[in-house]
Amino acid sequence: MLELRPGCECCDRDLPPGAEDARICSFECTFCRACAETVLHGRCPNCGGELVPRPRRPADKLARFPASTARVHKPAGCRS
């Protein structure tokens, strides 16, 4: 099950579970759309994989399967 990490690894912007602009790679590294497109050009700086829109968990499932609260912030790896 996806962690649904709460923020962008580059800019630390909040990305709640329903965020339409969250992007992830196959390892669940998480970025906002702005960083994914303008800084990272669609590639994860950690694994080199493509960044795709993160699926949104239905609201009725969030109570039983909550999003992660652990933030990952690695701005040094996200320089353009």
Side-chain angles (χ1 to χ4, degrees):
M1 181 168 316
L2 290 175
E3 290 181 13
L4 300 178
R5 295 177 186 169
C8 177
E9 288 188 25
C10 285
C11 69
D12 204 31
R13 180 176 159 223
D14 288 340
L15 294 170
E20 293 184 11
D21 59 341
R23 300 291 181 263
I24 61 171
C25 71
S26 66
F27 290 96
E28 296 188 57
C29 301
T30 303
F31 305 93
C32 68
R33 179 176 43 217
C35 288
E37 292 176 359
T38 63
V39 177
L40 304 173
H41 307 288
R43 291 282 163 207
C44 177
N46 303 313
C47 71
E50 72 177 320
L51 296 171
V52 298
R54 181 179 72 188
R56 291 178 301 280
R57 187 164 298 150
D60 64 325
K61 302 292 187 218
L62 278 171
R64 186 167 175 206
F65 306 102
S68 173
T69 58
R71 294 186 86 86
V72 177
H73 186 216
K74 300 192 281 189
C78 297
R79 295 196 175 108
S80 57

